[in-house]
Amino acid sequence: MTPSAPPPYRRIADEIRARVDTGELAPGDRVPSTRRITQEWGVAMATATKVLAALRQDGVVRVVPGVGTVVAEPAAPEAAPDTSPRPLPGGEGGAAKERRTREADGGLSRERIVRAGMRVADAEGLGALSMRRVAAEFGVSSMALYRHLAGKDELVMLMADATFAEVRLPEPAPADWRARMEAGARLQWAVYKRHPWLAQYLSISRPQPMPRAMALIEWTVARVEGMDPLTLLHMAVTLLNHVRAAASGFEDDREAEQQTGMDRGQWMASMEPAYERILGSGAYPMYAGVDGLALDAVTLDTVFEFGLARLLDGMAVLVEGRERGGRV
């Protein structure tokens, strides 16, 4: 009896896995997206979705927020039992053994690895980050990193939290609730500008446990009084999400420039003929009204500033209404 052929999704998944096994796709590399699969193999979107689901189930790939589906890092091998003779009293102690371990792996530490990961992501984007790429910064194998970290997921979370350790809170702190929330928003904005990858990594629907980031949010809403905890949390998350959403454009713009070779000004200039045809139809009066303004009339910074002011205006109605004891 001739065995039945595997279903299309399984065949495609096996082909992608073969690329991983041969090293064509390394840990941290993006695998073909569902759209790419539909184009390359000529299958329906539902089949492409099953391909990635099968690869995730097999542990070949994982999903990285803001990046997409990438090749999973190999599981760290279990350490072999230590059968070496124990040092006799007066012999080599724990400190000496720890020193030898550091020397063997290039003097690595969790902090040094996190800082190296931040440098890679800052310069090349989160999509370029992998344990192998970070290990190359130290001239060691990626397996040396697993002595200090469980894998890339832990590394990126530690990197994200470390960015907030750079925040220097103003002294004295603003006493007014609105000035305090505005200052907190601007501190977040500055962090995102220094680390363009960060905004796309953070999640509102699946928030990551990062103590330093949480401390900044606590500080930001510390002067809002009279609110129940749930309302206060909604205020904090709404403000955070505005800053994060606007800042996600930093990484978008960098990736677009890498892919097209054009900065924002060059790209806008290349699109000008298409926009002129659209506006010439007369069907878009709002856009036509701002036609001809300077390129920097609407930027990520202006969107951040405008949205921040309007959010705080709206929150003032809520806060000041509660302070007066009125209904809002």
Coordinates of all heavy atoms in Angstrom, one line a residue, residues 181-244:
M181 N 2.3 64.0 35.0 CA 2.0 63.1 33.9 C 2.7 63.5 32.6 O 3.2 62.7 31.9 CB 0.5 63.0 33.7 CG -0.2 62.2 34.9 SD -1.9 61.8 34.5 CE -1.6 60.4 33.4
E182 N 2.8 64.8 32.4 CA 3.5 65.3 31.2 C 4.9 65.0 31.2 O 5.6 64.5 30.3 CB 3.2 66.8 31.0 CG 3.9 67.4 29.8 CD 3.7 68.8 29.6 OE1 2.8 69.4 30.2 OE2 4.4 69.4 28.7
A183 N 5.5 65.2 32.4 CA 7.0 64.9 32.6 C 7.2 63.4 32.4 O 8.2 63.0 31.7 CB 7.4 65.4 34.0
G184 N 6.4 62.6 32.9 CA 6.6 61.1 32.8 C 6.5 60.7 31.3 O 7.2 59.9 30.8
A185 N 5.5 61.3 30.6 CA 5.4 61.0 29.2 C 6.6 61.4 28.4 O 7.1 60.7 27.5 CB 4.1 61.7 28.6
R186 N 7.2 62.5 28.7 CA 8.4 63.0 28.0 C 9.6 62.2 28.3 O 10.5 61.9 27.5 CB 8.6 64.5 28.3 CG 7.5 65.4 27.8 CD 7.9 66.9 27.9 NE 6.8 67.7 27.5 CZ 6.4 67.9 26.3 NH1 7.1 67.4 25.3 NH2 5.4 68.7 26.0
L187 N 9.7 61.7 29.6 CA 10.8 60.7 29.9 C 10.7 59.5 29.1 O 11.7 58.9 28.6 CB 10.7 60.4 31.4 CG 11.1 61.6 32.3 CD1 10.8 61.2 33.8 CD2 12.6 61.9 32.2
Q188 N 9.4 58.9 28.9 CA 9.2 57.8 28.1 C 9.6 58.0 26.7 O 10.3 57.2 26.0 CB 7.8 57.3 28.2 CG 7.3 56.8 29.5 CD 5.8 56.5 29.5 OE1 5.3 55.8 28.6 NE2 5.1 57.0 30.5
W189 N 9.2 59.2 26.1 CA 9.5 59.5 24.8 C 11.0 59.6 24.5 O 11.5 59.1 23.5 CB 8.9 60.9 24.5 CG 9.0 61.4 23.0 CD1 9.7 62.4 22.6 CD2 8.2 60.8 21.9 NE1 9.5 62.6 21.2 CE2 8.6 61.6 20.8 CE3 7.4 59.8 21.7 CZ2 8.1 61.4 19.5 CZ3 6.9 59.5 20.5 CH2 7.2 60.3 19.4
A190 N 11.7 60.1 25.5 CA 13.2 60.2 25.3 C 13.8 58.8 25.3 O 14.8 58.6 24.6 CB 13.8 61.0 26.5
V191 N 13.3 57.9 26.1 CA 13.8 56.5 26.1 C 13.6 55.9 24.7 O 14.5 55.2 24.2 CB 13.1 55.7 27.2 CG1 13.5 54.2 27.1 CG2 13.5 56.2 28.6
Y192 N 12.4 56.1 24.2 CA 12.1 55.5 22.9 C 13.0 56.1 21.8 O 13.4 55.4 20.8 CB 10.6 55.7 22.5 CG 9.7 55.0 23.4 CD1 8.5 55.6 23.9 CD2 9.9 53.6 23.7 CE1 7.6 54.9 24.7 CE2 9.0 52.9 24.5 CZ 7.8 53.6 25.0 OH 6.9 52.9 25.8
K193 N 13.3 57.4 21.9 CA 14.2 58.0 20.9 C 15.6 57.4 20.9 O 16.2 57.2 19.9 CB 14.2 59.5 21.1 CG 13.1 60.3 20.4 CD 13.4 61.7 20.4 CE 12.4 62.4 19.4 NZ 12.8 63.9 19.3
R194 N 16.1 57.1 22.1 CA 17.4 56.5 22.2 C 17.4 55.1 21.8 O 18.5 54.6 21.3 CB 17.9 56.6 23.7 CG 18.2 58.0 24.1 CD 19.0 58.0 25.5 NE 18.2 57.4 26.6 CZ 17.4 58.1 27.4 NH1 17.2 59.4 27.2 NH2 16.8 57.5 28.3
H195 N 16.3 54.4 21.9 CA 16.2 53.0 21.6 C 15.0 52.7 20.7 O 13.9 52.3 21.2 CB 16.1 52.2 22.9 CG 17.2 52.5 23.9 ND1 18.5 52.0 23.8 CD2 17.2 53.2 25.1 CE1 19.2 52.4 24.8 NE2 18.4 53.1 25.6
P196 N 15.1 53.0 19.4 CA 14.0 52.9 18.5 C 13.2 51.6 18.5 O 12.0 51.5 18.2 CB 14.6 53.2 17.1 CG 15.9 53.9 17.4 CD 16.4 53.4 18.7
W197 N 13.9 50.5 18.8 CA 13.3 49.2 18.8 C 12.3 48.9 20.0 O 11.5 48.0 19.9 CB 14.4 48.1 18.9 CG 15.3 48.3 20.0 CD1 16.5 49.0 20.0 CD2 15.2 47.7 21.3 NE1 17.0 49.0 21.3 CE2 16.3 48.2 22.1 CE3 14.2 46.9 22.0 CZ2 16.5 47.9 23.4 CZ3 14.4 46.6 23.3 CH2 15.5 47.0 24.0
L198 N 12.4 49.7 21.0 CA 11.8 49.4 22.3 C 10.2 49.5 22.2 O 9.5 48.7 22.7 CB 12.3 50.4 23.4 CG 11.6 50.3 24.7 CD1 11.9 48.9 25.3 CD2 12.2 51.4 25.7
A199 N 9.7 50.6 21.5 CA 8.3 50.8 21.4 C 7.6 49.6 20.8 O 6.5 49.2 21.2 CB 8.0 52.1 20.7
Q200 N 8.2 49.0 19.8 CA 7.5 47.9 19.1 C 7.6 46.6 19.9 O 6.8 45.7 19.7 CB 8.2 47.6 17.7 CG 7.8 48.8 16.7 CD 8.3 48.4 15.3 OE1 8.9 47.4 15.1 NE2 7.9 49.2 14.4
Y201 N 8.5 46.5 20.8 CA 8.7 45.3 21.7 C 7.6 45.3 22.8 O 7.0 44.3 23.1 CB 10.0 45.2 22.3 CG 10.1 44.2 23.3 CD1 10.1 42.8 23.0 CD2 10.2 44.5 24.7 CE1 10.2 41.8 24.0 CE2 10.3 43.5 25.7 CZ 10.3 42.2 25.3 OH 10.3 41.2 26.3
L202 N 7.4 46.5 23.4 CA 6.5 46.6 24.5 C 5.0 46.2 24.1 O 4.6 46.6 23.0 CB 6.5 47.9 25.2 CG 7.9 48.4 25.8 CD1 7.8 49.7 26.4 CD2 8.3 47.3 26.8
S203 N 4.3 45.6 25.0 CA 2.9 45.2 24.7 C 2.0 45.7 25.7 O 2.2 45.7 26.9 CB 2.8 43.7 24.6 OG 1.5 43.3 24.5
I204 N 0.8 46.2 25.2 CA -0.2 46.7 26.1 C -1.2 45.5 26.5 O -1.6 45.4 27.6 CB -1.1 47.8 25.5 CG1 -0.2 49.0 25.2 CG2 -2.2 48.2 26.3 CD1 0.5 49.6 26.4
S205 N -1.4 44.6 25.5 CA -2.3 43.5 25.7 C -1.7 42.4 26.6 O -2.3 41.7 27.3 CB -2.9 43.0 24.4 OG -1.8 42.5 23.6
R206 N -0.3 42.3 26.4 CA 0.4 41.3 27.2 C 1.6 41.9 27.8 O 2.8 41.7 27.4 CB 0.8 40.1 26.3 CG -0.3 39.4 25.6 CD 0.1 38.2 24.8 NE -1.0 37.6 24.1 CZ -1.0 36.4 23.5 NH1 0.1 35.7 23.6 NH2 -2.0 35.9 22.9
P207 N 1.4 42.8 28.8 CA 2.5 43.5 29.4 C 3.5 42.7 30.1 O 3.2 41.7 30.7 CB 1.7 44.4 30.5 CG 0.5 43.6 30.8 CD 0.1 43.0 29.5
Q208 N 4.8 43.1 29.8 CA 5.9 42.3 30.3 C 6.3 42.8 31.7 O 6.2 44.0 32.0 CB 7.1 42.5 29.4 CG 6.9 42.0 28.0 CD 6.4 43.1 27.0 OE1 5.8 44.1 27.5 NE2 6.8 43.0 25.8
P209 N 6.6 41.9 32.6 CA 7.0 42.3 34.0 C 8.4 42.9 34.0 O 9.4 42.2 34.1 CB 7.0 41.0 34.8 CG 7.3 39.9 33.7 CD 6.7 40.4 32.5
M210 N 8.4 44.3 34.1 CA 9.7 45.0 34.0 C 9.7 46.0 35.2 O 9.0 47.1 35.0 CB 9.9 45.7 32.7 CG 10.0 44.7 31.5 SD 10.5 45.4 30.0 CE 9.1 46.6 29.7
P211 N 10.3 45.8 36.3 CA 10.2 46.6 37.5 C 10.6 48.1 37.2 O 9.9 49.0 37.7 CB 11.2 46.0 38.5 CG 11.2 44.5 38.0 CD 11.1 44.6 36.5
R212 N 11.7 48.3 36.4 CA 12.1 49.7 36.2 C 11.1 50.5 35.4 O 10.8 51.7 35.7 CB 13.4 49.7 35.5 CG 14.6 49.3 36.4 CD 15.8 48.9 35.6 NE 16.9 48.6 36.4 CZ 18.0 47.9 36.0 NH1 18.0 47.4 34.8 NH2 19.0 47.7 36.8
A213 N 10.5 49.9 34.4 CA 9.5 50.5 33.6 C 8.2 50.8 34.5 O 7.6 51.9 34.4 CB 9.1 49.7 32.4
M214 N 7.9 49.8 35.3 CA 6.7 50.0 36.2 C 6.9 51.1 37.2 O 6.0 51.8 37.5 CB 6.4 48.7 36.9 CG 6.0 47.5 36.0 SD 6.0 45.9 36.7 CE 4.6 46.1 37.9
A215 N 8.2 51.2 37.7 CA 8.5 52.3 38.6 C 8.3 53.7 38.0 O 7.8 54.6 38.6 CB 9.9 52.2 39.1
L216 N 8.6 53.8 36.7 CA 8.4 55.1 36.0 C 6.9 55.4 35.9 O 6.5 56.6 36.1 CB 9.0 55.1 34.6 CG 8.8 56.4 33.8 CD1 9.3 57.6 34.5 CD2 9.5 56.2 32.4
I217 N 6.1 54.4 35.6 CA 4.7 54.6 35.5 C 4.1 55.0 36.8 O 3.2 55.9 36.9 CB 4.0 53.4 34.9 CG1 4.6 53.0 33.6 CG2 2.5 53.6 34.8 CD1 4.6 54.1 32.5
E218 N 4.5 54.3 37.9 CA 4.0 54.7 39.2 C 4.4 56.2 39.5 O 3.5 56.9 40.1 CB 4.7 53.8 40.3 CG 4.2 52.4 40.3 CD 2.9 52.2 41.1 OE1 2.4 53.2 41.7 OE2 2.4 51.1 41.2
W219 N 5.6 56.6 39.2 CA 6.0 58.0 39.5 C 5.1 58.9 38.6 O 4.7 60.0 39.1 CB 7.4 58.1 39.1 CG 8.0 59.5 39.3 CD1 8.6 60.0 40.5 CD2 8.0 60.6 38.4 NE1 9.0 61.3 40.3 CE2 8.6 61.7 39.0 CE3 7.6 60.7 37.1 CZ2 8.8 62.9 38.4 CZ3 7.7 62.0 36.4 CH2 8.3 63.0 37.1
T220 N 4.8 58.6 37.4 CA 4.0 59.4 36.5 C 2.7 59.8 37.1 O 2.2 60.9 36.9 CB 3.9 58.8 35.1 OG1 5.2 58.6 34.6 CG2 3.1 59.6 34.2
V221 N 2.0 58.8 37.7 CA 0.6 59.1 38.2 C 0.5 59.3 39.7 O -0.5 59.3 40.3 CB -0.3 57.9 37.8 CG1 -0.4 57.7 36.3 CG2 0.2 56.6 38.5
A222 N 1.7 59.5 40.3 CA 1.7 59.6 41.8 C 1.0 60.8 42.3 O 0.6 60.8 43.5 CB 3.2 59.7 42.3
R223 N 0.7 61.9 41.5 CA 0.0 63.1 42.0 C -1.4 63.1 41.6 O -2.1 64.1 41.9 CB 0.8 64.3 41.5 CG 2.1 64.5 42.2 CD 1.9 64.9 43.7 NE 3.2 65.1 44.4 CZ 3.9 64.1 45.0 NH1 3.3 62.9 45.1 NH2 5.0 64.4 45.6
V224 N -1.9 62.1 41.0 CA -3.4 62.0 40.7 C -4.1 61.5 41.9 O -3.8 60.4 42.4 CB -3.6 61.1 39.5 CG1 -5.1 61.1 39.2 CG2 -2.8 61.6 38.3
E225 N -5.0 62.3 42.5 CA -5.6 61.9 43.7 C -7.1 61.7 43.5 O -7.7 62.3 42.6 CB -5.4 63.0 44.8 CG -3.9 63.1 45.1 CD -3.7 64.3 46.1 OE1 -4.7 65.0 46.5 OE2 -2.6 64.4 46.6
G226 N -7.7 60.9 44.3 CA -9.2 60.7 44.3 C -9.7 59.7 43.3 O -10.9 59.6 43.1
M227 N -8.8 59.0 42.7 CA -9.2 58.0 41.6 C -9.2 56.6 42.2 O -8.3 56.3 43.0 CB -8.3 58.1 40.4 CG -8.3 59.4 39.7 SD -9.9 59.6 38.9 CE -9.8 61.3 38.4
D228 N -10.1 55.8 41.8 CA -10.1 54.4 42.2 C -8.9 53.7 41.4 O -8.5 54.2 40.3 CB -11.4 53.7 41.9 CG -11.7 53.7 40.4 OD1 -12.3 54.7 40.0 OD2 -11.4 52.7 39.7
P229 N -8.3 52.6 41.9 CA -7.2 52.0 41.3 C -7.4 51.7 39.8 O -6.5 51.8 39.0 CB -6.9 50.8 42.1 CG -7.5 51.1 43.5 CD -8.7 52.0 43.2
L230 N -8.6 51.2 39.4 CA -8.8 50.8 38.1 C -8.8 52.0 37.1 O -8.2 51.9 36.0 CB -10.1 50.0 37.9 CG -10.4 49.4 36.6 CD1 -9.3 48.5 36.1 CD2 -11.8 48.7 36.6
T231 N -9.4 53.1 37.5 CA -9.4 54.3 36.7 C -8.0 54.8 36.6 O -7.6 55.3 35.5 CB -10.3 55.4 37.3 OG1 -11.7 54.9 37.4 CG2 -10.3 56.7 36.5
L232 N -7.3 54.8 37.7 CA -5.9 55.3 37.6 C -5.0 54.5 36.7 O -4.2 55.0 35.9 CB -5.3 55.3 39.1 CG -3.9 56.0 39.2 CD1 -4.1 57.5 38.9 CD2 -3.5 55.8 40.7
L233 N -5.2 53.2 36.7 CA -4.5 52.3 35.8 C -4.9 52.6 34.4 O -4.0 52.6 33.5 CB -4.8 50.8 36.1 CG -4.1 49.8 35.3 CD1 -2.6 49.9 35.4 CD2 -4.5 48.4 35.6
H234 N -6.1 52.8 34.1 CA -6.5 53.2 32.7 C -5.9 54.5 32.3 O -5.5 54.6 31.1 CB -8.1 53.3 32.6 CG -8.7 51.9 32.4 ND1 -9.2 51.1 33.3 CD2 -9.0 51.3 31.2 CE1 -9.7 50.0 32.8 NE2 -9.6 50.1 31.5
M235 N -5.8 55.4 33.2 CA -5.1 56.7 32.8 C -3.7 56.4 32.5 O -3.1 57.0 31.5 CB -5.2 57.7 34.0 CG -6.7 58.2 34.2 SD -6.8 59.3 35.7 CE -5.7 60.7 35.2
A236 N -3.0 55.6 33.3 CA -1.6 55.4 33.1 C -1.3 54.6 31.8 O -0.5 55.0 31.0 CB -1.0 54.5 34.3
V237 N -2.2 53.6 31.5 CA -2.0 52.8 30.3 C -2.3 53.6 29.1 O -1.7 53.5 28.0 CB -2.8 51.5 30.4 CG1 -2.7 50.7 29.1 CG2 -2.3 50.6 31.5
T238 N -3.4 54.4 29.1 CA -3.8 55.2 28.0 C -2.6 56.2 27.6 O -2.3 56.4 26.4 CB -5.0 56.0 28.3 OG1 -6.1 55.1 28.6 CG2 -5.4 56.9 27.1
L239 N -2.0 56.8 28.6 CA -0.9 57.7 28.4 C 0.3 57.0 27.8 O 0.9 57.4 26.8 CB -0.5 58.4 29.7 CG 0.6 59.5 29.5 CD1 0.1 60.7 28.8 CD2 1.1 59.9 30.9
L240 N 0.6 55.8 28.4 CA 1.7 55.0 28.0 C 1.5 54.6 26.5 O 2.4 54.6 25.7 CB 1.9 53.8 28.9 CG 3.0 52.8 28.6 CD1 3.4 52.1 29.9 CD2 2.6 51.8 27.6
N241 N 0.3 54.2 26.2 CA 0.0 53.7 24.9 C 0.1 54.8 23.8 O 0.5 54.5 22.7 CB -1.4 53.0 24.8 CG -1.5 52.1 23.6 OD1 -0.6 51.4 23.2 ND2 -2.6 52.2 22.9
H242 N -0.3 56.0 24.1 CA -0.1 57.1 23.2 C 1.4 57.3 22.9 O 1.7 57.4 21.7 CB -0.7 58.4 23.7 CG -0.2 59.6 23.0 ND1 -0.6 59.8 21.7 CD2 0.6 60.6 23.3 CE1 0.0 60.9 21.3 NE2 0.7 61.4 22.2
V243 N 2.2 57.3 23.9 CA 3.6 57.6 23.7 C 4.2 56.4 22.9 O 5.0 56.6 21.9 CB 4.4 57.7 25.0 CG1 5.8 58.0 24.8 CG2 3.7 58.8 25.9
R244 N 3.9 55.2 23.3 CA 4.4 54.0 22.6 C 4.0 53.9 21.2 O 4.8 53.6 20.3 CB 4.0 52.8 23.4 CG 4.6 51.5 22.8 CD 3.9 50.3 23.5 NE 2.5 50.2 23.1 CZ 2.1 49.4 22.0 NH1 3.0 48.8 21.3 NH2 0.8 49.4 21.7

